[in-house]
Amino acid sequence: MEPLVEGGMPRVLAQRTALLPHLLQALEVVEIAARRRADVHRVAAVFFGLTERLELNWLRRKVESLKVGGQWHAISRANLRDELFAHHNDLVEHVLRAHGRKKAPVTAWAEANGAAVERLTRMLAAMKKQQEMDYATLSVAVRALGQLNEDQSGE
């Protein structure tokens, strides 16, 4: 928010603008809850629990910060971001379906899928050590998240 204020934006508008990135996630939570006819607080706990457990905000920031060198890069980045959102939402659905009645559904899911979760976590940790991210590297990360979903389709 401070860079916006320092750039001349009124503080109230800067505060509202700074909240916009979080609005998309809130809308995703509400959409999932409505589709499942589930308690929005329960869905939010799973959504943000997975976000934290899998460090998806870091991955989102890296995707959104990819340099765009023309139309095709812009389309590629948008597709990668959409794929990340879709995999996250699919995973939320899976956790709710498989572990939603448990007291700590994300923890139960992570324990049930320990090896796969650990592989993804190790891969993201290795990526974090890189100085720069590119489309290919982030595509591998997003694809691995999708693979995590695919691995659980039979659970």
Side-chain angles (χ1 to χ4, degrees):
M1 178 185 84
E2 290 307 316
L4 297 174
V5 173
E6 291 169 7
M9 187 179 282
R11 183 166 289 281
V12 173
L13 183 57
Q15 288 173 329
R16 290 180 181 166
T17 303
L19 292 175
L20 287 175
H22 304 289
L23 187 57
L24 181 59
Q25 291 181 344
L27 291 173
E28 296 283 348
V29 167
V30 170
E31 183 180 327
I32 293 168
R35 185 173 51 249
R36 294 184 57 82
R37 295 187 176 151
D39 177 61
V40 73
H41 294 101
R42 187 77 168 158
V43 174
V46 170
F47 185 95
F48 292 109
L50 285 169
T51 299
E52 184 178 328
R53 177 70 177 85
L54 301 176
E55 301 185 68
L56 298 179
N57 280 337
W58 174 83
L59 189 53
R60 277 193 179 110
R61 282 191 308 273
K62 290 301 178 184
V63 168
E64 290 170 357
S65 69
L66 284 169
K67 293 177 182 158
V68 174
Q71 171 187 358
W72 303 117
H73 279 167
I75 292 170
S76 179
R77 183 178 65 184
N79 287 343
L80 193 57
R81 184 180 53 234
D82 290 349
E83 187 178 349
L84 174 57
F85 289 158
H87 291 324
H88 185 185
N89 290 344
D90 289 347
L91 197 52
V92 170
E93 292 274 2
H94 173 79
V95 171
L96 288 168
R97 192 170 44 256
H99 303 281
R101 297 194 190 282
K102 296 179 180 166
K103 184 175 181 177
V106 173
T107 301
W109 166 81
E111 289 172 358
N113 298 280
V117 171
E118 183 60 29
R119 270 192 309 276
L120 179 64
T121 302
R122 277 195 317 269
M123 179 179 34
L124 293 176
M127 287 179 180
K128 283 182 170 186
K129 293 177 183 176
Q130 291 185 215
Q131 299 239 336
E132 286 189 36
M133 286 290 135
D134 58 20
Y135 286 90
T137 304
L138 291 171
S139 292
V140 169
V142 170
R143 180 67 188 112
L145 185 62
Q147 186 64 46
L148 188 60
N149 277 323
E150 291 171 16
D151 289 347
Q152 298 176 41
S153 60
E155 185 182 14

